[in-house]
Amino acid sequence: MSDAPDVDDRVDYEDGSSSEMEEEHVEEDDDDSHNDEEHDVEAEDEDNNIDIDIETAEDEEEEEREEYSHLLSLPPHGSEVFIGGLPRDVGEEDLRDLCEPIGDIFEVRLMKDRDSGENKGYAFVGFKTKDVAQKAIEELHSKQFKGKTIRCSLSETKNRLFIGNIPKEWTEDEFRKVIEDVGPGVESIELIKDPTNSTRNRGFAFVLYYNNACADYSRQKMIDSSFKLEGNAPTVTWADPKSSPETSAAAAQVKALYVKNIPENTSTEQLKELFQRHGEVTKVVTPPGKGGKRDFGFVHYAERSSALKAVKDSERYEINGQELEVVLAKPQAERKHEPSSYSYGGAAAPSPAPFALPTFGGFAAPPYGAMGIAGSFAQPMIYGRGAMPTGMQMVPMLLPDGRVGYVLQQPGMQMAPPARPRRDDRNNGGSGRENRHHHDGNRGGRRYRPY
């Protein structure tokens, strides 16, 4: 009987501990379910953030595609012209009336003074195509407009970038991939090769774009401090356009072709027959050379449009199986004035230099015949551009290499004698008094110290 209470107590204790354990299990279950709920909420938040990031990225890509599409929808480079010499009372509507009969206009920009609002006498007219711009130059240049002769030429907007600090081990394909990812409208890439190592580049390149807008878009992207080329911060600036035969008003009037690589014994009639399929050929010129004709010549058309057709990329010309090189001739005004150069517009006599060239050591040469040189010898001349200034005459001069040249000099003027050397050093001769007098007269010199 004495053990019964102990058993009951033990049972009660066990029963009590059992209930407490059940309560603990219930609390643990509640904690687990709460943690599971927290994890589910966090996972759901992460999924929502991922969805938001994806949507943001898609929106940015869509905006970028729209921007690319807009830039490429703008007119190409070479479709804008400059018109100068305009009357001061001309407005944009007057320019539209002038240019609309030529072709579709994209925009008209009349330059005006910021203070007075009066136009500055020039404007830029953008057409939708390059062909219409060329047509506008042909029709408007030197035309009379409201009592004034206007000028028309291609606008000098730039579409070429210089990019420096490029990793020198990059190939052109690697560089192209990076540049094309930056912006639209890349037309050509010129990565300059290292002449001493064909597997490396020189660290800079030129990139040509479809138009100025595409080039400026990429330029803005690449000058950002966050943009890098494999860790290198690139140097990005505008590059001058490559020289083209159609970039000036004078060049826009050229109707002649420069034809090179002409086979021997080719007659002018053969050349005329070859090129007249594009239009009326007015004349063919093949300048004489040593031992016969040279391997180049000029073909002149009656209309510029015929010359433009002849130089299209699709055209190929052959004579006796030999392919000819054909380009538009350069205008005479842009040719270098060299005695040996041939001008397709007619050889012009060389002009004397418009300024006096310095003599050798201040020596004024005597007349040419007094130097013992035969009169029949071809006299060497120094030529320059422009007409001879009034009151000047050509005089002979002994050149440093022993030849005789001619320079301009005013009549009666003598060449200045060579400057007398300074005698600052006692060891070069002369007394201390002479040196002191020299330095007193020239405060900029070194102070004389007799000891």
Side-chain angles (χ1 to χ4, degrees):
M1 295 292 295
S2 60
D3 295 335
D6 295 336
V7 174
D8 293 339
D9 291 341
R10 186 170 60 252
V11 171
D12 293 340
Y13 174 77
E14 289 176 356
D15 291 342
S17 64
S18 174
S19 61
E20 289 176 0
M21 291 175 66
E22 287 177 359
E23 290 177 0
E24 289 177 0
H25 282 302
V26 170
E27 291 177 358
E28 290 177 1
D29 291 339
D30 291 341
D31 291 339
D32 291 340
S33 62
H34 182 67
N35 291 336
D36 291 341
E37 289 177 2
E38 288 183 350
H39 286 306
D40 292 341
V41 170
E42 290 176 359
E44 188 175 346
D45 290 340
E46 289 178 2
D47 291 339
N48 290 335
N49 290 336
I50 292 172
D51 291 339
I52 292 172
D53 291 340
I54 292 173
E55 289 177 2
T56 304
E58 289 177 351
D59 291 341
E60 289 177 354
E61 289 179 1
E62 182 63 28
E63 289 177 3
E64 190 175 76
R65 281 195 294 269
E66 290 178 359
E67 181 70 18
Y68 282 17
S69 177
H70 170 68
L71 294 172
L72 293 172
S73 68
L74 299 176
H77 178 75
S79 58
E80 185 180 74
V81 300
F82 164 86
I83 302 178
L86 295 171
R88 299 292 179 175
D89 59 345
V90 165
E92 289 189 3
E93 288 303 318
D94 297 321
L95 287 173
R96 285 189 178 275
D97 293 340
L98 175 68
C99 297
E100 276 181 346
I102 300 172
D104 292 335
I105 296 175
F106 177 73
E107 67 172 350
V108 175
R109 292 183 290 123
L110 180 63
M111 299 297 104
K112 297 182 179 181
D113 185 88
R114 186 176 300 176
D115 298 326
S116 65
E118 188 180 44
N119 82 64
K120 294 183 178 181
Y122 64 94
F124 297 92
V125 179
F127 294 93
K128 292 188 177 180
T129 65
K130 293 190 285 187
D131 292 339
V132 176
Q134 287 295 330
K135 184 180 177 183
I137 293 172
E138 294 173 20
E139 294 190 12
L140 298 181
H141 184 64
S142 299
K143 180 178 180 177
Q144 290 293 319
F145 180 59
K146 294 197 171 186
K148 295 194 71 174
T149 302
I150 59 176
R151 307 181 308 276
C152 186
S153 61
L154 276 181
S155 169
E156 295 182 358
T157 55
K158 296 184 178 180
N159 66 327
R160 192 165 176 251
L161 294 180
F162 167 86
I163 302 175
N165 206 18
I166 301 169
K168 295 187 176 181
E169 65 276 4
W170 276 16
T171 63
E172 186 168 313
D173 290 339
E174 290 173 325
F175 180 64
R176 178 181 293 276
K177 185 178 184 306
V178 172
I179 294 302
E180 289 181 344
D181 287 342
V182 173
V186 176
E187 290 198 337
S188 67
I189 292 177
E190 187 181 359
L191 181 62
I192 308 303
K193 299 290 185 182
D194 188 338
T196 61
N197 188 345
S198 60
T199 62
R200 293 170 64 84
N201 67 74
R202 294 182 61 187
F204 64 93
F206 297 93
V207 182
L208 188 71
Y209 287 86
Y210 174 70
N211 55 25
N212 173 265
C214 290
D216 191 53
Y217 177 86
S218 295
R219 185 181 69 88
Q220 296 290 346
K221 284 281 195 76
M222 288 187 282
I223 62 176
D224 190 278
S225 58
S226 62
F227 183 80
K228 296 287 188 293
L229 297 176
E230 212 172 67
N232 296 354
T235 302
V236 183
T237 59
W238 290 107
D240 290 331
K242 282 190 172 181
S243 58
S244 167
E246 299 178 0
T247 56
S248 69
Q253 307 304 308
V254 172
K255 303 175 184 178
L257 304 178
Y258 172 73
V259 184
K260 195 177 179 183
N261 203 28
I262 301 174
E264 285 188 51
N265 303 321
T266 301
S267 67
T268 56
E269 288 300 321
Q270 284 180 279
L271 290 171
K272 184 175 182 178
E273 185 180 351
L274 179 64
F275 287 97
Q276 68 182 359
R277 69 173 184 262
H278 300 296
E280 181 187 352
V281 176
T282 57
K283 66 177 177 178
V284 177
V285 179
T286 52
K290 293 180 180 179
K293 294 180 180 178
R294 296 185 181 180
D295 68 342
F296 68 90
F298 298 93
V299 177
H300 295 253
Y301 283 101
E303 299 292 336
R304 175 174 166 81
S305 58
S306 302
L308 294 177
K309 290 178 185 176
V311 294
K312 284 187 176 179
D313 293 338
S314 58
E315 295 293 336
R316 293 289 183 271
Y317 305 95
E318 285 187 3
I319 293 181
N320 299 333
Q322 187 166 320
E323 187 171 352
L324 308 181
E325 297 178 25
V326 181
V327 296
L328 280 176
K330 289 184 179 180
Q332 186 174 353
E334 295 182 6
R335 289 174 166 267
K336 293 183 178 179
H337 295 270
E338 298 176 357
S340 60
S341 65
Y342 176 80
S343 172
Y344 75 86
S351 302
F355 53 89
L357 299 175
T359 60
F360 180 61
F363 173 73
Y368 194 88
M371 294 187 178
I373 303 174
S376 60
F377 185 81
Q379 299 183 358
M381 301 287 287
I382 299 176
Y383 295 120
R385 296 184 181 180
M388 180 184 294
T390 306
M392 303 289 282
Q393 66 180 10
M394 299 297 292
V395 297
M397 181 191 76
L398 185 64
L399 300 177
D401 58 2
R403 294 184 301 163
V404 176
Y406 272 60
V407 296
L408 284 168
Q409 183 182 347
Q410 291 182 0
M413 293 286 292
Q414 296 296 326
M415 297 295 182
R420 191 173 181 180
R422 294 177 58 182
R423 299 166 63 184
D424 291 336
D425 195 343
R426 287 186 301 152
N427 297 328
N428 290 340
S431 66
R433 181 177 299 176
E434 290 174 344
N435 284 333
R436 182 167 62 253
H437 174 74
H438 172 75
H439 285 292
D440 287 343
N442 183 11
R443 294 293 181 185
R446 187 177 59 189
R447 184 177 177 183
Y448 174 66
R449 299 180 184 277
Y451 302 103

